[in-house]
Amino acid sequence: MKGRKHTPEQIVRKLLEADKLLAQGISAVEVARQLGVSEQTYYRWRNQFGGLKAEDAKELKRLKGENATLKRLLAEAELEKALLKELAEGNW
């Protein structure tokens, strides 16, 4: 069964809702159930997005994607550089 995909904004909104429920004395297990996620997902979200605002979470996701793209481009450039060096030495 494939899980649902929540946007960072939705996660932050749900965590704000969770804070309100926790302040009312509801247990974390019950809060997770009311949010419609597993307890493990709730704690993972809390670790990743705990003190963020919705805009910050969106920016974080964008930056992580940009970072992954840049890492891939760097790896490709390094591979190409190594291949050209090997060709120049005549070791092919």
Coordinates of all heavy atoms in Angstrom, one line a residue:
M1 N 0.8 -1.2 0.0 CA 0.0 0.0 0.0 C 0.9 1.2 0.0 O 1.7 1.4 0.9 CB -0.9 0.0 1.2 CG -1.8 1.2 1.4 SD -2.9 0.9 2.8 CE -3.4 2.5 3.0
K2 N 0.7 2.1 -1.0 CA 1.5 3.3 -1.1 C 1.0 4.4 -0.2 O -0.2 4.6 -0.1 CB 1.5 3.8 -2.5 CG 2.5 4.9 -2.8 CD 2.6 5.2 -4.2 CE 3.5 6.3 -4.5 NZ 3.6 6.7 -5.9
G3 N 1.9 5.0 0.6 CA 1.5 6.0 1.5 C 1.1 7.3 0.8 O 1.4 7.5 -0.4
R4 N 0.4 8.2 1.5 CA 0.0 9.5 1.0 C 1.2 10.4 0.9 O 2.2 10.3 1.7 CB -1.0 10.1 1.9 CG -2.3 9.4 1.8 CD -3.3 10.2 2.6 NE -4.0 9.3 3.5 CZ -4.7 9.6 4.6 NH1 -4.8 10.8 4.9 NH2 -5.2 8.7 5.3
K5 N 1.2 11.3 0.0 CA 2.2 12.3 -0.1 C 1.7 13.7 0.4 O 0.8 14.2 -0.1 CB 2.6 12.4 -1.6 CG 3.8 13.3 -1.8 CD 5.0 12.5 -1.7 CE 6.2 13.4 -2.2 NZ 7.4 12.7 -2.0
H6 N 2.3 14.1 1.5 CA 1.9 15.4 2.1 C 3.0 16.5 1.7 O 4.2 16.2 1.7 CB 1.9 15.3 3.6 CG 0.8 14.4 4.1 ND1 1.0 13.1 4.3 CD2 -0.4 14.7 4.5 CE1 -0.1 12.5 4.7 NE2 -1.0 13.5 4.9
T7 N 2.5 17.7 1.4 CA 3.4 18.8 1.1 C 3.9 19.3 2.4 O 3.4 19.1 3.4 CB 2.6 19.9 0.3 OG1 1.6 20.5 1.2 CG2 1.9 19.4 -0.9
P8 N 5.1 20.0 2.3 CA 5.6 20.6 3.5 C 4.7 21.5 4.2 O 4.6 21.5 5.5 CB 6.9 21.3 3.0 CG 7.3 20.6 1.8 CD 6.0 20.2 1.2
E9 N 3.9 22.2 3.5 CA 2.9 23.1 4.1 C 1.9 22.4 4.9 O 1.5 22.8 5.9 CB 2.2 24.0 3.0 CG 3.2 24.9 2.3 CD 3.9 24.3 1.1 OE1 3.5 23.1 0.7 OE2 4.7 24.9 0.5
Q10 N 1.4 21.3 4.3 CA 0.4 20.4 5.0 C 1.0 19.9 6.3 O 0.3 19.8 7.3 CB -0.1 19.3 4.1 CG -0.9 19.8 2.9 CD -1.2 18.6 1.9 OE1 -0.4 17.7 1.8 NE2 -2.4 18.7 1.3
I11 N 2.2 19.4 6.2 CA 2.9 18.8 7.4 C 3.0 19.9 8.5 O 2.7 19.6 9.6 CB 4.3 18.3 7.0 CG1 4.1 17.1 6.1 CG2 5.0 17.9 8.2 CD1 5.4 16.6 5.5
V12 N 3.4 21.1 8.1 CA 3.5 22.1 9.1 C 2.2 22.5 9.7 O 2.1 22.6 11.0 CB 4.2 23.4 8.6 CG1 4.2 24.5 9.5 CG2 5.7 23.1 8.2
R13 N 1.2 22.5 8.9 CA -0.2 22.8 9.4 C -0.7 21.7 10.4 O -1.2 22.0 11.4 CB -1.2 23.0 8.3 CG -1.2 24.4 7.7 CD -2.4 24.6 6.8 NE -1.8 25.1 5.5 CZ -1.8 24.5 4.4 NH1 -2.4 23.3 4.3 NH2 -1.2 25.0 3.3
K14 N -0.4 20.5 10.0 CA -0.8 19.4 10.9 C 0.0 19.4 12.2 O -0.5 19.0 13.2 CB -0.6 18.0 10.1 CG -1.7 17.8 9.1 CD -1.6 16.4 8.6 CE -2.7 16.2 7.6 NZ -3.2 14.8 7.5
L15 N 1.3 19.8 12.1 CA 2.1 19.8 13.3 C 1.6 21.0 14.3 O 1.6 20.8 15.5 CB 3.6 20.0 13.0 CG 4.3 18.8 12.5 CD1 5.7 19.1 12.1 CD2 4.2 17.6 13.4
L16 N 1.1 22.1 13.7 CA 0.5 23.1 14.5 C -0.7 22.7 15.2 O -1.0 22.9 16.3 CB 0.3 24.4 13.6 CG 1.5 25.1 13.1 CD1 1.1 26.2 12.2 CD2 2.3 25.7 14.3
E17 N -1.5 21.9 14.4 CA -2.8 21.3 15.0 C -2.4 20.3 16.1 O -3.1 20.3 17.1 CB -3.5 20.6 13.8 CG -4.8 20.0 14.2 CD -5.5 19.3 13.1 OE1 -5.3 19.6 11.9 OE2 -6.3 18.4 13.4
A18 N -1.4 19.6 15.9 CA -0.9 18.6 16.9 C -0.5 19.3 18.1 O -0.8 18.8 19.3 CB 0.2 17.8 16.3
D19 N 0.2 20.4 18.0 CA 0.6 21.2 19.2 C -0.6 21.6 20.0 O -0.6 21.6 21.3 CB 1.4 22.4 18.8 CG 2.8 22.1 18.3 OD1 3.3 21.0 18.6 OD2 3.4 22.9 17.6
K20 N -1.7 22.1 19.3 CA -2.9 22.5 20.0 C -3.5 21.3 20.8 O -3.9 21.4 21.9 CB -3.9 23.0 19.1 CG -3.5 24.4 18.5 CD -4.5 24.9 17.4 CE -4.0 26.1 16.8 NZ -4.8 26.5 15.7
L21 N -3.5 20.1 20.1 CA -4.1 18.9 20.7 C -3.3 18.5 21.9 O -3.8 18.1 23.0 CB -4.3 17.8 19.7 CG -5.3 18.1 18.6 CD1 -5.2 17.0 17.5 CD2 -6.7 18.2 19.1
L22 N -2.0 18.5 21.8 CA -1.1 18.1 22.9 C -1.2 19.1 24.1 O -1.2 18.6 25.2 CB 0.4 18.1 22.4 CG 0.8 17.0 21.5 CD1 2.2 17.2 20.9 CD2 0.7 15.6 22.2
A23 N -1.5 20.3 23.8 CA -1.7 21.3 24.9 C -3.0 21.0 25.6 O -3.1 21.4 26.8 CB -1.7 22.7 24.3
Q24 N -3.9 20.4 25.0 CA -5.2 20.0 25.6 C -5.0 18.7 26.5 O -6.0 18.3 27.1 CB -6.3 19.8 24.6 CG -6.6 21.0 23.8 CD -7.6 20.8 22.7 OE1 -8.0 19.6 22.5 NE2 -7.9 21.8 21.9
G25 N -3.8 18.1 26.4 CA -3.6 16.9 27.2 C -3.8 15.6 26.5 O -3.8 14.5 27.1
I26 N -4.0 15.6 25.2 CA -4.2 14.4 24.4 C -2.9 13.8 24.2 O -1.9 14.4 23.9 CB -4.9 14.8 23.1 CG1 -6.3 15.4 23.4 CG2 -5.1 13.5 22.2 CD1 -7.0 15.9 22.1
S27 N -2.8 12.4 24.2 CA -1.5 11.7 24.1 C -1.1 11.8 22.6 O -1.9 12.1 21.7 CB -1.7 10.3 24.4 OG -2.5 9.6 23.5
A28 N 0.2 11.6 22.4 CA 0.8 11.7 21.1 C 0.2 10.6 20.2 O 0.1 10.8 19.0 CB 2.3 11.5 21.2
V29 N -0.1 9.5 20.7 CA -0.6 8.4 19.9 C -2.0 8.8 19.4 O -2.3 8.6 18.2 CB -0.8 7.1 20.8 CG1 -1.5 6.0 20.0 CG2 0.6 6.6 21.2
E30 N -2.8 9.4 20.2 CA -4.2 9.8 19.8 C -4.1 11.0 18.9 O -4.8 11.1 17.9 CB -5.0 10.2 21.1 CG -6.4 10.6 20.7 CD -7.2 9.6 20.0 OE1 -7.0 8.4 20.2 OE2 -8.1 9.9 19.2
V31 N -3.1 11.9 19.1 CA -2.9 13.0 18.2 C -2.5 12.5 16.8 O -3.1 13.0 15.8 CB -1.8 14.0 18.7 CG1 -1.3 14.9 17.6 CG2 -2.2 14.7 19.9
A32 N -1.6 11.6 16.7 CA -1.3 11.0 15.4 C -2.5 10.4 14.7 O -2.7 10.5 13.5 CB -0.2 9.9 15.6
R33 N -3.3 9.7 15.5 CA -4.5 9.1 14.9 C -5.4 10.1 14.4 O -6.0 10.0 13.3 CB -5.2 8.2 16.0 CG -6.3 7.4 15.5 CD -6.9 6.5 16.5 NE -5.9 5.5 17.0 CZ -5.6 5.3 18.3 NH1 -6.2 6.0 19.2 NH2 -4.7 4.4 18.6
Q34 N -5.6 11.2 15.1 CA -6.5 12.3 14.7 C -6.0 13.0 13.4 O -6.7 13.5 12.6 CB -6.7 13.3 15.8 CG -7.6 12.8 16.9 CD -7.9 13.8 17.9 OE1 -7.8 15.0 17.7 NE2 -8.4 13.3 19.1
L35 N -4.6 13.0 13.3 CA -4.0 13.7 12.1 C -4.1 12.7 10.9 O -3.9 13.2 9.8 CB -2.6 14.0 12.4 CG -2.3 15.1 13.4 CD1 -0.8 15.3 13.6 CD2 -3.0 16.4 13.0
G36 N -4.4 11.5 11.1 CA -4.5 10.5 10.0 C -3.2 10.0 9.6 O -3.0 9.6 8.4
V37 N -2.2 9.9 10.5 CA -0.9 9.4 10.2 C -0.4 8.4 11.3 O -1.0 8.4 12.4 CB 0.2 10.5 10.1 CG1 -0.1 11.4 8.9 CG2 0.4 11.3 11.3
S38 N 0.6 7.6 11.0 CA 1.1 6.7 12.0 C 1.9 7.5 13.1 O 2.3 8.6 12.8 CB 2.0 5.7 11.4 OG 3.2 6.2 11.0
E39 N 2.1 6.9 14.2 CA 2.8 7.6 15.3 C 4.3 7.8 14.8 O 4.9 8.8 15.1 CB 2.8 6.7 16.5 CG 3.4 7.3 17.7 CD 3.3 6.5 19.0 OE1 2.8 5.3 18.9 OE2 3.8 6.9 20.0
Q40 N 4.8 6.8 14.1 CA 6.2 7.0 13.6 C 6.3 8.2 12.6 O 7.2 8.9 12.7 CB 6.6 5.7 12.8 CG 8.0 5.7 12.3 CD 8.3 4.4 11.6 OE1 7.5 3.5 11.4 NE2 9.6 4.2 11.2
T41 N 5.3 8.3 11.7 CA 5.3 9.4 10.8 C 5.2 10.8 11.6 O 5.9 11.7 11.2 CB 4.1 9.3 9.8 OG1 4.3 8.1 9.1 CG2 4.0 10.5 8.9
Y42 N 4.4 10.8 12.6 CA 4.2 12.0 13.4 C 5.6 12.4 14.0 O 6.0 13.5 13.9 CB 3.2 11.8 14.5 CG 3.3 12.9 15.5 CD1 2.8 14.2 15.3 CD2 3.8 12.6 16.8 CE1 2.8 15.2 16.2 CE2 3.9 13.6 17.7 CZ 3.4 14.9 17.5 OH 3.5 15.9 18.4
Y43 N 6.3 11.5 14.6 CA 7.6 11.8 15.2 C 8.6 12.1 14.2 O 9.5 13.0 14.4 CB 8.1 10.6 16.1 CG 7.3 10.5 17.4 CD1 6.6 9.4 17.7 CD2 7.4 11.6 18.3 CE1 5.9 9.3 18.9 CE2 6.7 11.5 19.5 CZ 5.9 10.4 19.8 OH 5.2 10.3 21.0
R44 N 8.6 11.5 13.0 CA 9.5 11.9 11.9 C 9.3 13.3 11.5 O 10.2 14.1 11.3 CB 9.4 10.9 10.7 CG 10.5 11.1 9.7 CD 10.4 10.2 8.5 NE 9.2 10.4 7.7 CZ 8.2 9.5 7.6 NH1 8.2 8.4 8.2 NH2 7.1 9.9 6.9
W45 N 8.0 13.7 11.3 CA 7.7 15.0 10.9 C 8.1 16.0 12.0 O 8.6 17.1 11.7 CB 6.1 15.2 10.7 CG 5.6 14.6 9.5 CD1 6.3 14.0 8.5 CD2 4.2 14.5 9.1 NE1 5.4 13.5 7.5 CE2 4.1 13.8 7.9 CE3 3.1 14.9 9.8 CZ2 2.9 13.6 7.2 CZ3 1.8 14.7 9.1 CH2 1.8 14.0 7.9
R46 N 7.9 15.6 13.2 CA 8.3 16.5 14.3 C 9.8 16.8 14.3 O 10.3 17.9 14.5 CB 7.9 15.8 15.7 CG 8.3 16.6 16.9 CD 7.6 17.9 17.0 NE 6.2 17.8 17.2 CZ 5.4 18.9 17.0 NH1 5.8 20.1 16.7 NH2 4.1 18.7 17.1
N47 N 10.6 15.7 14.0 CA 12.1 15.9 13.9 C 12.4 16.8 12.7 O 13.4 17.6 12.8 CB 12.8 14.6 13.8 CG 12.8 13.8 15.1 OD1 12.7 14.5 16.2 ND2 12.9 12.5 15.1
Q48 N 11.8 16.6 11.6 CA 12.2 17.3 10.3 C 11.6 18.7 10.3 O 12.4 19.6 9.9 CB 11.6 16.5 9.1 CG 12.4 15.2 8.8 CD 11.8 14.5 7.6 OE1 10.6 14.8 7.2 NE2 12.6 13.7 7.0
F49 N 10.4 18.9 10.7 CA 9.7 20.2 10.5 C 9.3 20.8 11.8 O 8.5 21.8 11.8 CB 8.5 20.0 9.6 CG 8.8 19.5 8.3 CD1 8.6 18.1 8.0 CD2 9.2 20.3 7.3 CE1 8.8 17.6 6.7 CE2 9.5 19.8 6.0 CZ 9.3 18.5 5.7
G50 N 9.8 20.4 12.9 CA 9.4 20.8 14.2 C 9.2 22.3 14.4 O 8.1 22.8 14.8
G51 N 10.2 23.1 14.2 CA 10.1 24.5 14.5 C 9.9 25.4 13.2 O 10.2 26.6 13.3
L52 N 9.5 24.8 12.1 CA 9.5 25.6 10.9 C 8.1 26.1 10.6 O 7.1 25.6 11.1 CB 9.8 24.7 9.7 CG 11.2 24.1 9.6 CD1 11.4 23.2 8.4 CD2 12.3 25.2 9.6
K53 N 8.0 27.2 9.9 CA 6.8 27.7 9.4 C 6.6 27.1 8.0 O 7.5 26.5 7.4 CB 6.9 29.3 9.2 CG 7.0 29.9 10.6 CD 7.2 31.4 10.4 CE 7.4 32.1 11.7 NZ 7.7 33.5 11.6
A54 N 5.4 27.2 7.4 CA 5.1 26.6 6.2 C 6.0 27.1 5.1 O 6.5 26.3 4.2 CB 3.6 26.9 5.8
E55 N 6.3 28.4 5.0 CA 7.2 28.9 4.0 C 8.6 28.4 4.1 O 9.2 28.1 3.1 CB 7.2 30.5 4.1 CG 5.9 31.1 3.7 CD 5.9 32.6 4.0 OE1 7.0 33.2 4.3 OE2 4.9 33.2 3.8
D56 N 9.1 28.2 5.4 CA 10.4 27.7 5.6 C 10.5 26.2 5.2 O 11.5 25.8 4.6 CB 10.7 27.8 7.1 CG 10.9 29.2 7.6 OD1 11.1 30.1 6.8 OD2 10.7 29.4 8.8
A57 N 9.4 25.5 5.4 CA 9.4 24.1 5.0 C 9.4 23.9 3.5 O 10.1 23.1 2.9 CB 8.2 23.4 5.6
K58 N 8.7 24.8 2.8 CA 8.7 24.8 1.4 C 10.1 25.1 0.8 O 10.6 24.5 -0.1 CB 7.6 25.8 0.8 CG 7.4 25.7 -0.6 CD 6.3 26.7 -1.0 CE 5.9 26.6 -2.5 NZ 4.8 27.4 -2.8
E59 N 10.7 26.1 1.4 CA 12.0 26.5 1.0 C 13.1 25.4 1.2 O 13.9 25.2 0.4 CB 12.5 27.8 1.7 CG 13.8 28.3 1.3 CD 13.9 28.9 -0.1 OE1 12.9 29.0 -0.8 OE2 15.1 29.2 -0.5
L60 N 12.9 24.7 2.4 CA 13.8 23.6 2.7 C 13.7 22.5 1.6 O 14.7 22.0 1.2 CB 13.5 23.1 4.1 CG 14.3 21.9 4.5 CD1 15.8 22.2 4.6 CD2 13.7 21.3 5.8
K61 N 12.5 22.2 1.3 CA 12.3 21.2 0.3 C 12.9 21.6 -1.1 O 13.5 20.8 -1.8 CB 10.8 20.9 0.1 CG 10.5 19.7 -0.9 CD 9.0 19.4 -0.9 CE 8.8 18.2 -1.9 NZ 7.4 17.9 -1.9
R62 N 12.7 22.8 -1.5 CA 13.3 23.3 -2.7 C 14.8 23.3 -2.7 O 15.4 22.8 -3.7 CB 12.8 24.8 -3.0 CG 13.2 25.3 -4.4 CD 13.0 26.8 -4.5 NE 13.8 27.6 -3.6 CZ 15.1 27.9 -3.9 NH1 15.7 27.3 -4.9 NH2 15.8 28.6 -3.0
L63 N 15.4 23.7 -1.6 CA 16.8 23.7 -1.5 C 17.4 22.3 -1.5 O 18.5 22.0 -2.1 CB 17.3 24.4 -0.2 CG 17.1 25.9 -0.3 CD1 17.4 26.5 1.1 CD2 18.0 26.5 -1.3
K64 N 16.7 21.3 -0.9 CA 17.2 19.9 -0.9 C 17.1 19.4 -2.3 O 18.1 18.7 -2.7 CB 16.3 19.0 0.0 CG 16.6 19.2 1.5 CD 15.8 18.2 2.3 CE 16.2 18.3 3.8 NZ 15.5 17.3 4.6
G65 N 16.1 19.7 -3.1 CA 16.1 19.3 -4.5 C 17.2 19.9 -5.3 O 17.8 19.2 -6.1
E66 N 17.4 21.2 -5.1 CA 18.5 21.9 -5.8 C 19.8 21.3 -5.4 O 20.7 21.1 -6.3 CB 18.4 23.4 -5.5 CG 19.4 24.2 -6.2 CD 19.4 25.7 -5.8 OE1 18.3 26.1 -5.4 OE2 20.4 26.4 -6.0
N67 N 20.0 21.0 -4.2 CA 21.3 20.4 -3.7 C 21.5 19.0 -4.4 O 22.6 18.7 -4.8 CB 21.3 20.3 -2.2 CG 22.6 19.9 -1.6 OD1 23.7 20.3 -2.2 ND2 22.6 19.3 -0.5
A68 N 20.5 18.2 -4.5 CA 20.6 16.9 -5.1 C 21.0 17.1 -6.6 O 21.8 16.3 -7.1 CB 19.3 16.1 -5.0
T69 N 20.4 18.0 -7.3 CA 20.7 18.3 -8.7 C 22.1 18.7 -8.8 O 22.8 18.2 -9.7 CB 19.7 19.4 -9.2 OG1 18.4 18.9 -9.1 CG2 20.0 19.6 -10.7
L70 N 22.6 19.6 -8.0 CA 24.0 20.1 -8.1 C 25.0 18.9 -7.8 O 26.0 18.8 -8.4 CB 24.2 21.2 -7.1 CG 23.5 22.5 -7.5 CD1 23.6 23.5 -6.3 CD2 24.0 23.1 -8.8
K71 N 24.7 18.1 -6.8 CA 25.5 16.9 -6.5 C 25.6 16.0 -7.7 O 26.7 15.5 -8.1 CB 25.0 16.2 -5.3 CG 25.3 16.8 -4.0 CD 24.9 16.0 -2.8 CE 25.2 16.6 -1.5 NZ 24.8 15.8 -0.4
R72 N 24.5 15.8 -8.4 CA 24.5 14.9 -9.6 C 25.3 15.5 -10.7 O 26.1 14.8 -11.3 CB 23.0 14.7 -10.0 CG 22.9 13.7 -11.2 CD 21.5 13.5 -11.7 NE 20.7 14.7 -11.8 CZ 20.8 15.6 -12.8 NH1 21.6 15.4 -13.8 NH2 20.0 16.7 -12.8
L73 N 25.1 16.8 -10.9 CA 25.9 17.5 -12.0 C 27.4 17.5 -11.7 O 28.2 17.3 -12.6 CB 25.4 18.9 -12.1 CG 24.0 19.1 -12.7 CD1 23.6 20.6 -12.6 CD2 24.0 18.6 -14.1
L74 N 27.8 17.6 -10.4 CA 29.2 17.6 -10.0 C 29.7 16.2 -10.3 O 30.9 16.0 -10.8 CB 29.4 18.0 -8.6 CG 30.8 17.9 -8.0 CD1 31.7 18.9 -8.8 CD2 30.8 18.2 -6.5
A75 N 29.0 15.2 -9.9 CA 29.5 13.8 -10.1 C 29.7 13.5 -11.6 O 30.7 12.9 -12.0 CB 28.5 12.8 -9.5
E76 N 28.7 14.0 -12.4 CA 28.9 13.8 -13.9 C 30.1 14.5 -14.4 O 30.8 14.0 -15.2 CB 27.6 14.3 -14.6 CG 26.4 13.4 -14.4 CD 25.1 14.0 -14.9 OE1 25.2 15.1 -15.5 OE2 24.1 13.3 -14.8
A77 N 30.3 15.7 -13.9 CA 31.5 16.5 -14.4 C 32.8 15.9 -14.0 O 33.8 15.8 -14.7 CB 31.4 17.9 -13.8
E78 N 32.8 15.3 -12.7 CA 34.1 14.7 -12.3 C 34.3 13.4 -13.1 O 35.5 13.1 -13.4 CB 33.9 14.3 -10.8 CG 34.0 15.5 -9.9 CD 35.4 16.2 -9.9 OE1 36.4 15.5 -10.0 OE2 35.4 17.5 -9.9
L79 N 33.3 12.7 -13.4 CA 33.4 11.4 -14.2 C 33.9 11.8 -15.6 O 34.9 11.1 -16.1 CB 32.1 10.7 -14.3 CG 32.1 9.4 -15.1 CD1 33.0 8.4 -14.5 CD2 30.7 8.9 -15.2
E80 N 33.4 12.8 -16.2 CA 33.8 13.3 -17.5 C 35.3 13.7 -17.5 O 36.1 13.4 -18.3 CB 33.0 14.4 -18.0 CG 33.3 14.8 -19.4 CD 32.3 15.9 -19.9 OE1 31.1 15.9 -19.5 OE2 32.7 16.7 -20.7
K81 N 35.7 14.4 -16.4 CA 37.0 14.9 -16.2 C 38.0 13.7 -16.1 O 39.1 13.7 -16.7 CB 37.1 15.7 -15.0 CG 38.5 16.4 -14.8 CD 38.3 17.4 -13.6 CE 39.3 17.0 -12.5 NZ 39.2 17.9 -11.3
A82 N 37.6 12.7 -15.4 CA 38.4 11.5 -15.2 C 38.6 10.7 -16.5 O 39.7 10.3 -16.9 CB 37.9 10.6 -14.1
L83 N 37.5 10.7 -17.3 CA 37.6 10.0 -18.6 C 38.5 10.7 -19.6 O 39.3 10.1 -20.3 CB 36.2 9.8 -19.2 CG 35.2 8.8 -18.5 CD1 33.8 8.9 -19.1 CD2 35.8 7.4 -18.7
L84 N 38.4 12.0 -19.6 CA 39.2 12.8 -20.5 C 40.7 12.7 -20.1 O 41.6 12.6 -20.9 CB 38.8 14.3 -20.5 CG 37.5 14.6 -21.2 CD1 37.1 16.0 -20.9 CD2 37.6 14.3 -22.6
K85 N 41.0 12.7 -18.8 CA 42.3 12.5 -18.3 C 42.9 11.2 -18.7 O 44.0 11.0 -19.2 CB 42.4 12.6 -16.8 CG 43.8 12.6 -16.2 CD 43.7 12.8 -14.7 CE 45.1 12.8 -14.1 NZ 45.1 12.9 -12.7
E86 N 42.1 10.1 -18.6 CA 42.5 8.8 -19.0 C 42.7 8.7 -20.5 O 43.7 8.1 -21.0 CB 41.4 7.8 -18.6 CG 41.9 6.3 -18.7 CD 40.8 5.4 -18.1 OE1 40.4 5.7 -17.0 OE2 40.5 4.4 -18.8
L87 N 41.9 9.4 -21.3 CA 42.1 9.4 -22.8 C 43.4 10.1 -23.1 O 44.1 9.7 -24.0 CB 40.9 10.0 -23.5 CG 39.7 9.2 -23.6 CD1 38.5 10.0 -24.2 CD2 39.9 8.0 -24.5
A88 N 43.7 11.2 -22.4 CA 44.8 12.0 -22.7 C 46.1 11.2 -22.4 O 47.1 11.4 -23.1 CB 44.8 13.3 -21.9
E89 N 46.1 10.4 -21.4 CA 47.2 9.5 -21.1 C 47.4 8.3 -22.0 O 48.4 7.7 -22.0 CB 47.1 9.1 -19.6 CG 47.2 10.2 -18.6 CD 47.0 9.7 -17.2 OE1 46.6 8.6 -17.0 OE2 47.1 10.6 -16.3
G90 N 46.4 8.1 -22.8 CA 46.4 6.9 -23.7 C 46.2 5.6 -23.0 O 46.6 4.6 -23.6
N91 N 45.5 5.5 -21.9 CA 45.2 4.3 -21.2 C 43.9 3.7 -21.5 O 43.2 3.2 -20.7 CB 45.3 4.5 -19.7 CG 46.7 4.9 -19.2 OD1 47.6 4.6 -19.9 ND2 46.7 5.6 -18.1
W92 N 43.5 3.8 -22.8 CA 42.2 3.2 -23.1 C 42.4 2.1 -24.0 O 42.3 1.2 -24.5 CB 41.3 4.3 -23.8 CG 42.0 5.0 -24.9 CD1 42.9 6.0 -24.8 CD2 41.9 4.7 -26.3 NE1 43.3 6.4 -26.0 CE2 42.8 5.6 -27.0 CE3 41.2 3.8 -27.1 CZ2 42.9 5.6 -28.4 CZ3 41.4 3.8 -28.4 CH2 42.2 4.7 -29.1

